[in-house]
Amino acid sequence: MLKVFVMGKKFLIMGWIQPAFQLQILEGRRIQQLQMYRAQMATVDIARLDRRQPVARTQSSPATPTLPHPAVDQPIQHSLMTGVVYDTLMLKHQCLCGSYNNHPEHAGRIQSIWSRLQESGLLNKCERIRGRKASLEEIQLVHSEHHSLLYGTSPLNRQKLDPRKILGSVPQKLFSLLPCGGLGVDSDTIWNELHSSGAARMAVGCVIELASKVASGELKNGFAVVRPPGHHAEESTAMGFCFFNSVAITAKYLRDKLNIGKILIVDLDVHHGNGTQQAFYADPSILYVSLHRYDEGNFFPGSGAPNEVGSGPGEGYNINIAWTGGLDPPVGDVEYLAAYRAVIMPIASEFEPDFVLVSAGFDAVEGHDPPLGGYKVTAKCFGHLIKQLLTLANGRMVLALEGGHDLTAICDASEACLNALLGNEPLPEEVLHRSPNVNAMFSLQKTTEIHSKYWKSVEPYVVPVSCKLAETQKQEREETEAVSAMALLSVDVEQSFPEEHSRKNVHWLKIVKLL
């Protein structure tokens, strides 16, 4: 029987707590939730999950019960194809509340992508790879022992372990009871005691397995349709929907186990990959490049400033293209293409990687609301970016799904990226010759000024004089308007407003004056 350790409003599900600490009411509720969940899972016709059927476009939806599954039982004939990997075990990482509405990161994400790739005919052109769970030893290439055991073991196996190995030096790893009735590491990152550990390990193992086959030459490149995502997971911290950093673990596996010398990681997610940056901040053998919404640290997770360049021997090998200026205007295709021309491709070519890993977060794709991104990059642009990266490392590259929560957007982006891996590239020519917006120009100027010290191929990005003048005039107008507004507030109310308006505004003006 599971036992629950309670501290305030949070609790840790563990199997070694003494009976004196049990809270019968809370435990009864937990057991009831588990029973309800098992009953829900029992109603799923598992046979349908493995049945290959023609899929209509409208089935790219989390509500679609038919899940085409990789035909992994057929004999494999290796022929330098593009590989794809996916496993239905990752669908079981769901909140106990059973609702997608409260949780942007849900099983319907990968279910929808897999259906789209099936119905588009792209899967028939790829080799489907059987996934596997990563071992705890593999996970500990990046994560601490207690983090790996806490989030990587089943309840039954966890009961057999020394509690000190689970908790580490400080027992901080507590699960919260969420408003929806489920459990979470935080308000975003849900936890399912029965299935989350298996799904998280499967996500890591799928990426490792695919990358290993590309590294050995069995495949030319590949795309891992996996969840939960990973790039926010730090050495001993789960956050931002992430438990284990799949891409970071795979990078260390390639280097330490398969002797791949230099690895490039490109993070396309609209959120900065704080966990990946942490893992390689002092490592010159792994170059980390991230394009993300930064807004001077006011966008989640708040890290990824341009001057975060690495430390010690890794100085200069951590590159952040940190977009600022909010959504006025939103960043789009032109800005991402400019970043590739000015920063990413010159540095990547100079670095000469032996392998490329892409944290393929698709939440910068148009269709995401401002809290989850708000940018306007098109799916076709993402395909073009992947096509450029294929010119590196003799094309040895693996994409691993990270974020992205608008189902249409992530399906479109996945289709475009897989098309690129297969050799297709559909970006309209005229997009390549436009100029980025002023905010993006200043962001690129800051990044290139910093990294031109470390890389010979990087030249400082020059913002045109006309743009500088326009920006200066804009700032002057804003300052003038602010001064005028303050001056207006300092005028006596009776002199500034007609009598009928003064009574309605006097209280508000007094408040502003106090501020």
Side-chain angles (χ1 to χ4, degrees):
M1 178 176 290
L2 295 175
K3 300 178 177 61
V4 182
F5 181 62
V6 177
M7 290 184 62
K9 294 182 178 180
K10 295 187 175 183
F11 55 90
L12 176 63
I13 299 175
M14 299 168 64
W16 56 83
I17 303 302
Q18 296 298 322
F21 290 95
Q22 296 182 27
L23 292 184
Q24 298 299 329
I25 296 178
L26 187 57
E27 182 175 344
R29 181 177 181 179
R30 173 70 180 138
I31 293 173
Q32 183 180 17
Q33 289 177 326
L34 293 177
Q35 291 173 340
M36 292 175 59
Y37 187 81
R38 291 193 186 100
Q40 292 173 357
M41 294 303 297
T43 62
V44 178
D45 184 358
I46 300 300
R48 288 187 301 172
L49 301 182
D50 296 321
R51 191 180 301 148
R52 299 289 303 282
Q53 296 180 359
V55 183
R57 188 172 186 81
T58 55
Q59 288 186 302
S60 291
S61 164
T64 305
T66 302
L67 300 177
H69 189 272
V72 293
D73 295 326
Q74 299 178 2
I76 296 176
Q77 297 178 354
H78 299 296
S79 57
L80 285 182
M81 298 176 67
T82 293
V84 290
V85 62
Y86 167 87
D87 196 283
T88 55
L89 178 62
M90 295 178 287
L91 299 175
K92 295 183 179 181
H93 169 61
Q94 299 185 57
C95 185
L96 291 171
C97 73
S99 173
Y100 288 163
N101 296 331
N102 301 318
H103 307 291
E105 202 295 296
H106 55 73
R109 296 173 62 245
I110 61 171
Q111 181 180 348
S112 298
I113 290 172
W114 191 255
S115 293
R116 171 67 71 83
L117 299 181
Q118 172 78 17
E119 67 198 39
S120 67
L122 293 177
L123 287 184
N124 294 331
K125 302 175 182 179
C126 301
E127 185 169 317
R128 306 180 201 183
I129 306 303
R130 182 187 292 276
R132 65 171 177 85
K133 290 183 183 179
S135 68
L136 293 176
E137 178 186 5
E138 289 167 341
I139 291 171
Q140 288 173 32
L141 290 170
V142 168
H143 298 285
S144 64
E145 181 183 37
H146 69 85
H147 181 91
S148 304
L149 292 174
L150 178 62
Y151 296 118
T153 54
S154 66
L156 181 61
N157 290 333
R158 203 178 306 141
Q159 293 181 25
K160 305 174 184 178
L161 299 172
D162 184 344
R164 290 170 295 184
K165 288 187 176 182
I166 302 286
L167 296 174
S169 57
V170 181
Q172 301 179 30
K173 301 299 181 182
L174 306 176
F175 297 100
S176 302
L177 183 63
L178 302 179
C180 66
L183 297 178
V185 175
D186 52 43
S187 59
D188 296 319
T189 311
I190 64 99
W191 178 256
N192 184 309
E193 182 69 359
L194 294 178
H195 300 299
S196 290
S197 61
R201 287 176 60 173
M202 177 60 73
V204 177
C206 283
V207 182
I208 292 176
E209 191 71 9
L210 184 59
S212 298
K213 291 183 179 298
V214 174
S216 68
E218 296 179 54
L219 299 170
K220 64 176 182 178
N221 53 46
F223 180 28
V225 184
V226 295
R227 70 176 286 270
H231 73 149
H232 292 310
E234 297 183 346
E235 180 187 18
S236 298
T237 305
M239 60 181 289
F241 311 132
C242 305
F243 298 96
F244 301 136
N245 197 319
S246 301
V247 167
I249 294 169
T250 300
K252 286 201 173 182
Y253 183 90
L254 291 173
R255 187 193 62 189
D256 299 348
K257 306 295 184 181
L258 302 183
N259 299 314
I260 303 295
K262 295 187 294 184
I263 299 168
L264 167 65
I265 299 175
V266 179
D267 195 330
L268 298 176
D269 198 285
V270 79
H271 303 91
H272 179 245
N274 53 293
T276 312
Q277 173 172 290
Q278 181 196 67
F280 305 115
Y281 206 61
D283 191 339
S285 67
I286 298 178
L287 173 64
Y288 178 64
V289 183
S290 174
L291 303 91
H292 53 272
R293 182 177 172 186
Y294 179 60
D295 292 349
E296 304 301 337
N298 293 312
F299 192 73
F300 182 86
S303 57
N307 60 359
E308 295 173 9
V309 298
S311 63
E315 185 173 349
Y317 291 87
N318 192 88
I319 301 167
N320 288 312
I321 301 170
W323 304 120
T324 59
L327 302 178
D328 184 26
V331 171
D333 290 2
V334 176
E335 289 71 36
Y336 271 60
L337 293 169
Y340 263 65
R341 286 194 301 267
V343 181
I344 296 178
M345 293 309 296
I347 292 178
S349 299
E350 185 177 343
F351 179 64
E352 295 183 332
D354 300 307
F355 202 100
V356 179
L357 291 170
V358 179
S359 280
F362 294 140
D363 37 16
V365 177
E366 57 185 349
H368 287 85
D369 294 332
L372 293 175
Y375 281 1
K376 300 295 183 182
V377 185
T378 66
K380 290 184 177 181
C381 182
F382 265 71
H384 180 78
L385 302 181
I386 297 305
K387 190 70 177 291
Q388 290 188 65
L389 292 175
L390 284 170
T391 63
L392 305 167
N394 293 319
R396 295 199 296 179
M397 178 168 67
V398 164
L399 281 63
L401 181 68
E402 294 281 3
H405 310 287
D406 179 88
L407 297 184
T408 300
I410 63 177
C411 287
D412 290 346
S414 297
E415 185 176 352
C417 288
L418 189 53
N419 261 310
L421 293 177
L422 290 167
N424 308 316
E425 197 267 303
L427 190 69
E429 182 69 20
E430 65 270 14
V431 179
L432 303 176
H433 305 293
R434 298 175 188 166
S435 297
N437 68 54
V438 175
N439 292 332
M441 286 184 181
F442 283 107
S443 296
L444 291 174
Q445 183 182 52
K446 185 177 295 184
T447 300
T448 54
E449 283 178 355
I450 292 171
H451 283 281
S452 60
K453 298 183 297 184
Y454 305 109
W455 301 95
K456 297 177 182 179
S457 57
V458 175
E459 299 180 359
Y461 190 90
V462 178
V463 178
V465 175
S466 59
C467 293
K468 290 183 178 179
L469 178 61
E471 182 69 13
T472 301
Q473 291 174 340
K474 177 183 176 183
Q475 291 176 355
E476 290 176 349
R477 285 196 306 271
E478 292 174 349
E479 291 172 359
T480 301
E481 291 171 357
V483 171
S484 300
M486 294 303 295
L488 176 64
L489 294 178
S490 66
V491 178
D492 184 72
V493 173
E494 282 72 21
Q495 295 177 354
S496 304
F497 297 95
E499 182 175 354
E500 62 271 19
H501 295 297
S502 65
R503 295 189 184 96
K504 290 188 288 185
N505 291 285
V506 64
H507 181 66
W508 178 81
L509 287 172
K510 285 180 179 178
I511 293 176
V512 175
K513 286 182 180 180
L514 290 173
L515 294 175

